[in-house]
Amino acid sequence: MEEIREIIEHLRETEKILLLSHVRPDYDTIASMLALKLALEKVGKEVTAYNEDGAPPSMRFLAGVDDIVRKLHPRKRFDTTIMLDAGSLDRFGDRISEPKVRERMGVRIKIDHHLTSSEPADLEYVDAGRASTAEMVWDVIRHYPIELNRDIAANIYCAVVSDTGGFRYSNTNARAFACAQAMMEHGVEPWEVTTRLYESRPLAELRLLGEALQTLDITDDGRFASLSVTREAMEKTGAENYMLDGFVNFARSIDGVEVGILLQEMDGLTRISFRSKGRVNVAEIAARFGGGGHHNAAGARIEGALPDVKKHLGKIIGREIKRKSTGKAPAKNRGKAAKSAGKRS
């Protein structure tokens, strides 16, 4: 592909590289970053892996995770900055958005499987048909070419498995399986990765899930379900934000539900995770509030108290479900709209 060729040609001529992974990181953004870091270091590049939040404890098993930095040297300049799994600089944290940091980034490269970003980069490899950014990192590595080792392969495999929900989500396709197979040929043990991802949950996470399931709310028609997590529940269980990953799928998994959401109470904001079974494009709904994502999985942060945001979203999602069922355009919303915080989940 032309995009990959241009990125590789540039990387061959660059030395100091900054890799960015987005805030509130998931496995795809962190593992993709670490895989690319390990690969580029094999060909002699000086690579800095940055995440403003750092990697959560659940990701401590990833190869190279201890090299992630949360602060950049105030005078260090980079030849190239690669943005992974998100296209807008504000998705990488407040510090990265500062003008004095932007001017030290050098050439900007975007590698992402989301289409919701409108911020351009100097070089871009964007493909919404990919199940994960990790697959795209693999494309760059194998066309460079850089020989994989087990650590690089394990990071890529972990990201693919996570972003496909263990090959259960609708984004699972032949290319995702091909990537996973290639990683296994380089020594990855699926059971080992699966155990780390799904069989090593902290007790606080399960206690928080119990609290969240008690808030389950389903509409009378059974097609929209929501779960809520309050600050009180977080404090009561001692859970951390990263532990909420995947909770929303319990709402979507109910038989007959078309859209499920998870609402998390924050200071002055409500964080929303959206999931759809296919009919409703939740990325379009999230975009109304400055968020984004994919057709079946998206997120946003909305100003307002959790009960108010829940009520407002219930009306919007209800209309979308009805519209997709009848094929009619939704009636214009004359209610008071919740205000967007301008940030994705």
Side-chain angles (χ1 to χ4, degrees):
M1 292 177 61
E2 182 66 19
E3 300 97 323
I4 299 175
R5 184 186 64 79
E6 291 180 349
I7 289 173
I8 291 173
E9 286 182 357
H10 174 75
L11 290 177
R12 290 186 190 278
E13 302 300 322
T14 195
E15 293 299 327
K16 297 179 180 179
I17 301 171
L18 172 64
L19 303 182
L20 301 179
S21 51
H22 61 71
V23 295
R24 299 187 71 98
D26 57 12
Y27 277 98
D28 193 22
T29 194
I30 291 289
S32 293
M33 178 177 69
L34 293 176
L36 187 55
K37 180 180 188 294
L38 292 171
L40 291 173
E41 287 177 339
K42 289 189 70 175
V43 290
K45 306 301 179 182
E46 180 184 327
V47 187
T48 300
Y50 175 88
N51 186 280
E52 186 170 295
D53 293 334
S58 59
M59 300 184 192
R60 301 304 302 174
F61 69 95
L62 295 173
V65 69
D66 290 335
D67 293 333
I68 295 175
V69 301
R70 299 180 64 179
K71 293 183 179 181
L72 297 175
H73 190 282
R75 291 184 298 278
K76 185 174 179 64
R77 289 185 172 274
F78 299 93
D79 304 318
T80 300
T81 294
I82 303 178
M83 302 179 287
L84 294 158
D85 202 38
S88 299
L89 284 177
D90 62 356
R91 288 285 286 126
F92 300 101
D94 294 336
R95 299 189 192 101
I96 292 298
S97 297
E98 295 176 359
K100 62 182 180 181
V101 176
R102 290 189 181 216
E103 67 183 18
R104 294 188 280 116
M105 287 183 173
V107 173
R108 283 190 234 166
I109 298 175
K110 181 193 303 183
I111 301 177
D112 190 16
H113 68 136
H114 304 88
L115 292 179
T116 50
S117 168
S118 59
E119 183 172 322
D122 299 299
L123 296 172
E124 297 187 358
Y125 177 26
V126 178
D127 185 354
R130 293 306 182 107
S132 65
T133 296
E135 295 173 48
M136 304 169 73
V137 167
W138 177 48
D139 285 340
V140 172
I141 292 172
R142 66 195 177 107
H143 285 98
Y144 195 100
I146 300 171
E147 185 177 353
L148 290 180
N149 58 30
R150 191 176 185 278
D151 284 345
I152 297 172
N155 283 343
I156 292 174
Y157 183 88
C158 181
V160 173
V161 171
S162 178
D163 247 33
T164 59
F167 303 105
R168 293 181 295 115
Y169 297 163
S170 62
N171 62 344
T172 305
N173 54 36
R175 289 187 294 187
F177 282 117
C179 181
Q181 178 181 345
M183 299 308 110
M184 290 173 62
E185 291 172 354
H186 284 83
V188 175
E189 296 289 343
W191 171 243
E192 180 182 340
V193 174
T194 302
T195 300
R196 294 284 194 173
L197 285 174
Y198 303 118
E199 305 291 338
S200 304
R201 300 182 184 277
L203 180 59
E205 179 180 327
L206 295 182
R207 286 175 171 161
L208 181 63
L209 176 60
E211 294 287 329
L213 290 175
Q214 292 183 51
T215 71
L216 179 64
D217 192 6
I218 307 176
T219 53
D220 292 340
D221 62 9
R223 294 192 289 181
F224 170 54
S226 67
L227 293 170
S228 300
V229 173
T230 64
R231 282 175 293 185
E232 181 182 1
M234 295 290 289
E235 294 172 1
K236 177 182 177 181
T237 59
E240 299 181 45
N241 285 327
Y242 78 90
M243 297 178 186
L244 276 70
D245 186 36
F247 279 21
V248 64
N249 294 320
F250 286 93
R252 179 176 62 176
S253 69
I254 300 169
D255 185 29
V257 167
E258 291 285 341
V259 177
I261 66 171
L262 174 72
L263 304 99
Q264 181 188 5
E265 184 180 38
M266 304 175 72
D267 290 336
L269 303 171
T270 301
R271 177 178 179 252
I272 313 295
S273 294
F274 300 85
R275 295 294 184 272
S276 170
K277 283 183 178 172
R279 284 191 179 184
V280 176
N281 186 342
V282 291
E284 291 181 351
I285 297 175
R288 301 184 196 183
F289 303 98
H294 301 284
H295 184 104
N296 290 340
R301 298 183 190 183
I302 303 174
E303 291 182 6
L306 190 152
D308 298 332
V309 172
K310 176 182 173 181
K311 182 177 179 180
H312 181 62
L313 284 177
K315 293 178 180 178
I316 293 175
I317 294 171
R319 285 197 300 271
E320 285 299 310
I321 292 174
K322 183 176 181 180
R323 181 172 73 89
K324 292 298 181 179
S325 299
T326 63
K328 296 179 180 179
K332 185 178 181 180
N333 177 24
R334 297 183 176 85
K336 183 177 180 181
K339 296 181 179 178
S340 166
K343 296 182 180 179
R344 294 181 200 171
S345 171

